[in-house]
Each structure stands twice: as C-alpha cells, then as structure tokens.
Amino acid sequence: RIISFDVPFMISQEGTDLMITIDYKKLIEPESGDPLPIVISPINHDPNNVEIFHSITSNFGNAMTLTLQ
C-alpha cells in the first residue's frame, strides 16, 4: 500500500526530523466501529482468518500522522 502525506517540507543542511505517529486505537478499529478482539485473541496466525489482517492494513493510512520537528 502507498500512503502519502500532504505536508510540505524543505530539506536543508540543518536537517528536519519527520515524526510518524500511529494511533493504535484507529489502527485496530475497523470501519464498522467494533474494535478487534485483542484481549480474547491477542495472536492470529490463522491463514483462514485474514479479515483481521485486511482491517489493520486498511486502517494504516487513517491511523498515521506526519509532523515535522
């Protein structure tokens, strides 16, 4: 997946730190609003249950913010 940020910045000799912040609540809450059952099932390696993986990867764009420091 490609995620882009609309944040203008300039590269200079002094340097600029780019901080990517991930809001884990947004990451694990699917669009339906029901959070993933992490307490009940903290590990999922079941290839037949890929819905969880798709939900997390779909949420990455909305869960991340980019700030300049």
Side-chain angles (χ1 to χ4, degrees):
R1 297 183 188 257
I2 297 173
I3 299 170
S4 61
F5 298 96
D6 188 16
V7 177
F9 66 94
M10 181 179 292
I11 298 173
S12 67
Q13 289 182 342
E14 292 83 30
T16 300
D17 292 331
L18 302 175
M19 172 82 68
I20 296 176
T21 306
I22 299 174
D23 183 333
Y24 286 101
K25 184 175 180 183
K26 289 181 181 178
L27 187 65
I28 64 171
E29 280 189 357
E31 291 181 14
S32 67
D34 299 325
L36 297 175
I38 292 176
V39 173
I40 297 169
S41 179
I43 299 172
N44 181 8
H45 297 288
D46 183 357
N48 297 315
N49 187 9
V50 295
E51 180 181 326
I52 292 173
F53 305 124
H54 290 291
S55 176
I56 290 173
T57 56
S58 295
N59 289 344
F60 255 105
N62 293 329
M64 293 191 322
T65 55
L66 176 71
T67 54
L68 305 176
Q69 296 185 345

